[in-house]
Amino acid sequence: MIRYAKKKYTKKEVLVLLDKIIAEWFSNKFEDLTPPQAYAIPLIHKNKNVLVSSPTGTGKTLTAFISIIDKLFRLAKKGKLEDKVYCIYVSPLRALNNDIHRNLEEPLNEIYELAKYKGLKIEKIRHLVRTGDTPASKKQNMLRKPPHILITTPESLAIMLDAPKFREKLFSVKWIIVDEIHSLAESKRGTHLSLSLERLQYWVNHKIVRIGLSATISPIEEVAKFLVGYDKSLKQRRCWIVDVSFIKNKDIRVITPVKDVVHTSAEKLNKEMYKTLLDLIKKHRTTLIFTNTRSGTERVVFHLKQLMPKEEIESVAAHHGSLSRHVRFDVEEKLKKGKLKVVVSSTSLELGIDIGYIDLVVQIGSPKSVTRCLQRIGRSGHALHETTKGVMIGLDLDDMVEISVMVKEAYRNHLDKTKIPKNCLDVLAQHLLGMAINKKWKVKEAFRLVKQAYPYRSLKMEDFVEVLRFLSGGYSMLEDYKIYGKIWFDEKTKEFGRRGKYARVIYALNIGTIPDEVMVKVYDENGKYVGNLEEDFLERLVKGDRFVLGGRVYEFVSARGLRVRVKKAFDKKPTVPSWFSEQLPLSFDLALEISKFRKFVFQNIHNKKKVTEYIKEKCHADDNTANSIYEYFLLQYKFLKKNNIEQMPDDKHILVEHFYDEEGRRNIIWHTLFGRKVNEALAKAFAYVIGKKLRRNMGVMVSDNGFGLILPVDKSLNPLNYVNSKNLEEILKEAVKNTELMKRRFRHCANRGLMILRNYKGYEISASKQQTSAETLIKIVSEIDNFPIIKETYRELLEDYMDVENARKVLRWIEEGRIKVVEASLPMPSPFAHNIVLIGLTDVVLMEDRKEILKRLYDKIKREVE
């Protein structure tokens, strides 16, 4: 049962609950309670499960820990604080773990200083970090003197559950704190953690109190269910929600550095953007700038260092995932000490690492979701009564529309929904081996334990048994490929357990859900090495795709392992932009709001003042932004009207435009403003059915605002005659079969499912060897009905990589007539189609190329409507 906390306690009411020394320390340290403390501390004190949603800098960490410290302190006073773990704190980031360790150090030292001053000599509460980085000697010390508060990651917790000696120290755990829970819930890391929590609960003889923390959660009740799961009778556990997420004041503005982004040269636009940045940096003590890509981060740092005064060059730094841990840590430390004026980050500083005082966050381009926008901008104004301050910079017409609507929704506190993966069979395989290592299980008992974890609530027994069958070596033909059983499974007695002396080693060395990041080597038709590609870029390629590498165009031929074969296509245009794999996808919820915004603007297109005032007031945008958006929509309106199209693309109408490009190919642009994950699903399905009918390969262009199909022949088929909400899933499975995407994702799932090991008996197996094995194995296991790793690969592709659920919803809306499809034959692409067409026209490595093409397309339309 999920309940919302309604009672707000006073400082006096809370302090009465605490030991006198803890209460005195708290009273001396803090003037009053913060909102999360006023609602949550008494609930945690009463051993209730609690989910706290509250902005950064509002005392969430202390809210979670103060009652726990109080109870451990009381035990210590009585001499009953034993050498065992009482509390586990789990976070997605090792850096955050180190932060928490430091942030606990100060209050604990101060509390014990006060106790000493009062004449009390009490055993200290120990708190330690244990992750993959922890040296073996420290882990040994933890066996002798375990921390009372253990700080760790989901992966390390899963390993500890099977560490022969240390796991016993966990059987006294009374509290588990899950920080940044929204970030974990939406990925397989959260699925992994949810199973670990249920496995730990199974071994202890008392209820473990669960505390979840986050600044941005939606839907909050769903995440509460994820946190607590189900009890042994599969009845939902109780959870109290403390939602004070909107207590801080916001000051978020949208600005565009120039009046006309289309006709301003790339050089001038960049110059004006950096001028704007420098002006903002000068007016603030510490500015955090977010870009959406690592390469963008490096580019901004490079330019800022060239433009800033010499004495301030060293106060500019980059922070992103490709930098070494040492470099990132150094940047974080300098930030905390106030030694940096500017830090530029991609996504790595989104989560709650304590980075000290930031008084402004700048976002270049769209962060693609309201939740991410608030998460990033929430890094500023760290203290409770300070205003969260952010500036969003638009450099492109579609971006301007996106960030304007995003800011409007941010002020309305409309967060995007977290999507929790369901029934991940690869993660399940990992945990079933872990469970088998500890004891012999009855299938029904193990199945019930797994279903207690919220992501597995709808798991079917037949899928569970298939995973056991696979893990136990039930498919004998796989032994020819050195895939052996890791457990035994008796189908008659319905029992399973550990098999072989290496099971524990295999489990410990191969656990986790994050795939290895690898680079792929590219060779031309003569076997000459031409450069590297990121693997997630390779995933998207199909035979015939052209891309830029080292400033030259190559055509993709094939891939084997981590080796790609291409042929020169220097005289041709690329079809896949190099930045494509780095792009964040627009959230479905925000996309729907942008569609509604389109409707509002088109309904008021003849009232410029009303539209621009709305954008300035509701979207907190400047004049440049408001005027640019209005002119953009006006041009779209005039162009469609001139070509006798009465209906504009909005939340109730999908415009499908047909035109011929310079090469005489038929282009069909679907204005499906539903975000890239949905559009990826629709585009793949449509291209597959039309390609099959015409017996030709289709060119496909996918963006957040729609997708384009390029037909090599002058023929057109309506894909809606073949694709519907009922058959979409099966068509997509056929469409992704035998693609690079399928092969790569199969390896990731096979890694997680312990089918292809990353490490065997202490020897690391190269990613190249793993991929070669995956390409061989996928052919074998694809022939086996319901093989769990194949089934999970399809699920991951359709539900996590794409968004088949919402794509199905869109098709259903069309079938029910809630959305109408409007066909239009046009002499050229409409303004709203330009960014989609651009994907198929050129690789936009150079901003100049992109700008020039957009300007040419835009001016062509202007001449057409005048």
Side-chain angles (χ1 to χ4, degrees):
M1 189 189 295
I2 307 298
R3 292 182 179 176
Y4 284 84
K6 301 283 189 216
K7 182 167 169 51
K8 186 178 181 181
Y9 291 79
T10 64
K11 185 179 178 184
K12 189 179 177 183
E13 286 173 313
V14 168
L15 293 183
V16 166
L17 302 172
L18 305 175
D19 178 272
K20 285 181 181 174
I21 286 173
I22 307 259
E24 187 178 332
W25 168 81
F26 192 97
S27 201
N28 293 340
K29 186 93 174 170
F30 304 103
E31 214 173 289
D32 202 358
L33 301 174
T34 64
Q37 291 165 356
Y39 286 98
I41 290 174
L43 292 170
I44 297 168
H45 192 81
K46 291 176 193 167
N47 294 326
K48 306 288 185 192
N49 297 322
V50 179
L51 175 61
V52 180
S53 179
S54 172
T56 305
T58 53
K60 279 194 299 293
T61 307
L62 192 60
T63 302
F65 275 113
I66 194 68
S67 288
I68 296 166
I69 291 170
D70 175 71
K71 290 184 180 182
L72 295 180
F73 188 79
R74 288 173 193 258
L75 285 173
K77 269 173 83 175
K78 293 175 189 170
K80 291 183 178 179
L81 191 63
E82 297 177 52
D83 286 338
K84 53 195 182 186
V85 179
Y86 290 88
C87 170
I88 299 175
Y89 167 93
V90 183
S91 98
L93 298 175
R94 291 175 187 179
L96 191 48
N97 286 335
N98 294 326
D99 256 1
I100 294 297
H101 182 266
R102 282 194 297 270
N103 293 345
L104 280 175
E105 194 85 20
E106 187 184 324
L108 286 171
N109 284 342
E110 288 172 355
I111 287 163
Y112 276 88
E113 280 298 313
L114 185 60
K116 193 178 172 184
Y117 175 75
K118 301 273 185 185
L120 292 170
K121 197 176 178 187
I122 303 167
E123 187 192 343
K124 267 207 152 190
I125 298 166
R126 293 188 298 274
H127 64 295
L128 293 170
V129 175
R130 182 172 173 139
T131 66
D133 292 341
T134 307
S137 57
K138 283 196 175 179
K139 288 179 182 175
Q140 279 301 314
N141 290 341
M142 283 186 205
L143 265 177
R144 289 187 292 276
K145 283 276 181 188
H148 303 114
I149 298 171
L150 174 66
I151 300 162
T152 192
T153 59
E155 293 76 15
S156 293
L157 176 59
I159 290 170
M160 284 182 260
L161 289 174
D162 280 291
K165 294 172 185 171
F166 194 77
R167 66 190 289 267
E168 291 171 16
K169 309 288 183 188
L170 303 178
F171 293 169
S172 301
V173 167
K174 288 186 166 65
W175 301 274
I176 285 180
I177 300 168
V178 183
D179 205 351
E180 301 292 355
I181 191 168
H182 73 282
S183 166
L184 286 168
E186 62 191 9
S187 73
K188 286 190 177 183
R189 291 186 81 199
T191 305
H192 196 275
L193 176 63
S194 68
L195 282 174
S196 291
L197 297 186
E198 294 309 331
R199 286 175 60 194
L200 181 58
Q201 181 63 73
Y202 175 87
W203 289 105
V204 304
N205 295 317
H206 55 265
K207 172 201 164 188
I208 298 174
V209 177
R210 304 186 192 200
I211 303 157
L213 307 174
S214 176
T216 48
I217 315 173
S218 176
I220 199 163
E221 291 183 20
E222 183 86 353
V223 177
K225 291 172 189 173
F226 168 82
L227 171 67
V228 298
Y230 299 86
D231 62 20
K232 283 182 182 176
S233 62
L234 298 182
K235 187 181 169 190
Q236 194 180 92
R237 295 189 183 104
R238 294 186 171 202
C239 186
W240 288 86
I241 291 174
V242 172
D243 185 5
V244 287
S245 53
F246 309 125
I247 52 172
K248 287 184 78 173
N249 291 326
K250 290 185 274 285
D251 175 7
I252 313 172
R253 291 180 293 131
V254 180
I255 61 174
T256 303
V258 295
K259 284 186 174 180
D260 182 353
V261 291
V262 176
H263 294 95
T264 304
S265 70
E267 189 184 349
K268 179 88 189 320
L269 184 59
N270 267 331
K271 194 177 172 184
E272 291 301 318
M273 182 192 80
Y274 285 109
K275 192 173 155 189
T276 303
L277 283 178
L278 287 171
D279 186 47
L280 290 167
I281 290 162
K282 269 183 209 164
K283 290 176 182 171
H284 297 86
R285 200 176 83 189
T286 309
T287 302
L288 174 59
I289 300 172
F290 279 105
T291 67
N292 286 338
T293 64
R294 294 171 187 182
S295 56
T297 294
E298 292 291 353
R299 198 161 54 243
V300 172
V301 168
F302 174 76
H303 285 299
L304 284 177
K305 283 192 171 186
Q306 287 189 317
L307 296 166
M308 286 183 78
K310 278 185 182 176
E311 63 275 14
E312 290 187 348
I313 286 173
E314 291 307 310
S315 69
V316 182
H319 190 291
H320 57 74
S322 294
L323 296 170
S324 72
R325 194 153 45 243
H326 166 73
V327 171
R328 292 199 308 266
F329 183 73
D330 186 50
V331 171
E332 290 156 23
E333 288 302 298
K334 282 180 179 171
L335 254 178
K336 280 173 211 170
K337 290 171 184 170
K339 291 182 179 178
L340 294 177
K341 187 111 178 94
V342 191
V343 174
V344 189
S345 175
S346 51
T347 58
S348 52
L349 288 178
E350 265 180 20
L351 299 180
I353 305 168
D354 180 8
I355 49 175
Y357 183 75
I358 303 280
D359 50 350
L360 177 70
V361 171
V362 178
Q363 169 71 49
I364 300 172
S366 168
K368 299 291 179 182
S369 82
V370 180
T371 302
R372 192 176 285 111
C373 167
L374 287 172
Q375 188 80 33
R376 289 178 175 186
I377 285 169
R379 304 316 314 271
S380 67
H382 202 276
L384 175 61
H385 301 295
E386 284 176 356
T387 296
T388 290
K389 192 174 181 184
V391 171
M392 318 279 284
I393 298 180
L395 300 170
D396 166 272
L397 289 169
D398 284 335
D399 249 11
M400 279 184 229
V401 175
E402 208 166 282
I403 57 178
S404 296
V405 177
M406 186 184 297
V407 169
K408 175 173 76 75
E409 294 305 302
Y411 272 96
R412 294 174 71 199
N413 300 317
H414 280 188
L415 300 179
D416 312 275
K417 295 183 186 74
T418 296
K419 197 175 174 195
I420 299 169
K422 290 179 195 167
N423 304 325
C424 306
L425 300 182
D426 50 356
V427 178
L428 175 61
Q430 220 173 95
H431 278 274
L432 287 177
L433 174 60
M435 289 164 68
I437 288 165
N438 289 328
K439 65 165 254 184
K440 181 170 85 173
W441 289 85
K442 292 276 185 191
V443 169
K444 275 189 179 174
E445 184 187 24
F447 181 61
R448 188 173 64 239
L449 184 153
V450 168
K451 280 179 74 78
Q452 285 175 229
Y454 186 69
Y456 290 94
R457 63 197 180 279
S458 60
L459 182 69
K460 291 175 181 166
M461 176 61 94
E462 51 263 42
D463 286 331
F464 185 80
V465 169
E466 282 296 340
V467 175
L468 288 174
R469 198 170 283 140
F470 147 66
L471 273 179
S472 64
Y475 302 100
S476 55
M477 78 282 282
L478 295 180
E479 290 194 5
D480 296 338
Y481 302 91
K482 297 186 178 174
I483 294 169
Y484 303 107
K486 296 162 189 72
I487 65 170
W488 60 263
F489 171 40
D490 190 322
E491 298 216 30
K492 286 182 183 172
T493 63
K494 296 283 187 276
E495 293 174 320
F496 68 94
R498 186 175 79 181
R499 171 176 169 179
K501 57 183 177 179
Y502 291 117
R504 193 186 301 277
V505 178
I506 287 169
Y507 176 79
L509 293 178
N510 291 278
I511 204 156
T513 62
I514 303 168
D516 296 330
E517 270 193 33
V518 292
M519 295 301 282
V520 183
K521 290 190 172 178
V522 181
Y523 297 86
D524 68 15
E525 60 264 59
N526 301 317
K528 185 186 170 189
Y529 168 68
V530 292
N532 293 337
L533 288 178
E534 287 184 356
E535 193 180 22
D536 57 356
F537 179 71
L538 173 60
E539 276 184 351
R540 298 172 177 274
L541 298 179
V542 296
K543 194 175 178 181
D545 276 348
R546 296 189 297 275
F547 59 92
V548 170
L549 186 60
R552 291 180 160 179
V553 180
Y554 293 93
E555 187 175 308
F556 175 66
V557 177
S558 64
R560 175 80 176 154
L562 297 181
R563 190 182 171 106
V564 169
R565 212 156 59 81
V566 296
K567 63 183 183 187
K568 297 184 186 85
F570 298 166
D571 57 333
K572 295 183 180 175
K573 290 177 181 175
T575 56
V576 183
S578 65
W579 46 256
F580 203 60
S581 62
E582 291 187 341
Q583 289 288 86
L584 295 164
L586 178 68
S587 76
F588 182 68
D589 299 316
L590 180 56
L592 294 181
E593 292 303 324
I594 296 168
S595 286
K596 289 175 190 170
F597 174 79
R598 279 184 173 184
K599 187 177 196 169
F600 164 78
V601 177
F602 283 129
Q603 282 177 341
N604 297 281
I605 201 69
H606 299 300
N607 189 341
K608 182 177 180 178
K609 190 170 187 290
K610 184 176 179 179
V611 172
T612 53
E613 288 302 315
Y614 178 89
I615 295 168
K616 286 191 279 188
E617 287 171 22
K618 299 286 183 186
C619 306
H620 301 260
D622 66 358
D623 284 336
N624 286 350
T625 308
N627 290 326
S628 294
I629 290 173
Y630 177 77
E631 292 300 330
Y632 181 35
F633 277 69
L634 182 63
L635 192 63
Q636 176 76 14
Y637 177 84
K638 284 180 175 178
F639 178 68
L640 291 182
K641 279 284 189 182
K642 173 134 195 204
N643 286 282
N644 302 314
I645 309 299
E646 293 298 317
Q647 191 52 62
M648 302 296 125
D650 59 22
D651 63 327
K652 300 296 179 193
H653 299 89
I654 291 170
L655 176 68
V656 181
E657 57 182 81
H658 301 248
F659 67 90
Y660 293 92
D661 62 23
E662 291 164 5
E663 294 171 34
R665 302 174 302 178
R666 188 186 193 100
N667 284 244
I668 307 169
I669 306 293
W670 286 72
H671 292 270
T672 46
L673 209 174
F674 301 113
R676 199 175 76 218
K677 285 189 171 188
V678 169
N679 288 340
E680 195 87 54
L682 294 173
K684 270 193 166 49
F686 287 8
Y688 179 75
V689 295
I690 294 176
K692 287 280 278 185
K693 295 285 176 190
L694 298 179
R695 296 184 183 176
R696 295 288 179 94
N697 280 342
M698 307 279 295
V700 180
M701 309 166 285
V702 182
S703 83
D704 287 310
N705 291 6
F707 61 90
L709 304 176
I710 304 171
L711 280 70
V713 289
D714 184 19
K715 283 187 181 177
S716 180
L717 296 169
N718 185 353
L720 293 173
N721 291 336
Y722 312 102
V723 182
N724 57 55
S725 56
K726 293 186 176 68
N727 67 12
L728 176 65
E729 196 166 320
E730 287 312 308
I731 289 170
L732 281 175
K733 283 180 183 176
E734 286 299 315
V736 297
K737 195 190 278 186
N738 303 324
T739 60
E740 281 303 316
L741 184 61
M742 180 80 183
K743 289 177 202 169
R744 306 273 145 196
R745 292 303 171 112
F746 173 74
R747 186 190 93 228
H748 297 168
C749 294
N751 280 153
R752 290 188 208 101
L754 308 176
M755 183 182 185
I756 296 172
L757 301 179
R758 288 179 287 208
N759 195 308
Y760 185 59
K761 298 183 185 177
Y763 294 100
E764 279 199 27
I765 299 159
S766 72
S768 184
K769 278 188 178 173
Q770 292 173 37
Q771 188 59 39
T772 305
S773 298
E775 287 169 18
T776 303
L777 287 167
I778 195 169
K779 292 169 189 167
I780 310 300
V781 296
S782 290
E783 302 301 313
I784 302 170
D785 285 343
N786 290 320
F787 189 75
I789 303 300
I790 286 285
K791 193 168 185 174
E792 175 55 27
T793 306
Y794 279 125
R795 189 213 64 78
E796 183 180 300
L797 282 172
L798 270 60
E799 294 180 18
D800 302 346
Y801 171 77
M802 293 182 259
D803 184 355
V804 71
E805 188 183 331
N806 282 321
R808 208 186 281 122
K809 189 185 280 184
V810 169
L811 289 173
R812 214 166 35 243
W813 288 343
I814 293 169
E815 288 155 11
E816 291 167 0
R818 289 170 62 183
I819 287 182
K820 288 189 167 55
V821 176
V822 179
E823 301 270 350
S825 288
L826 300 171
M828 62 191 81
S830 73
F832 280 13
H834 290 178
N835 272 325
I836 303 169
V837 171
L838 204 67
I839 295 166
L841 278 183
T842 182
D843 183 294
V844 286
V845 179
L846 297 171
M847 187 71 169
E848 290 83 355
D849 294 352
R850 174 187 166 88
K851 291 286 303 169
E852 198 48 49
I853 293 164
L854 279 175
K855 179 176 170 294
R856 205 166 66 238
L857 289 168
Y858 198 85
D859 287 344
K860 212 172 171 184
I861 298 276
K862 281 213 120 174
R863 286 194 298 272
E864 174 81 8
V865 298
E866 279 168 2

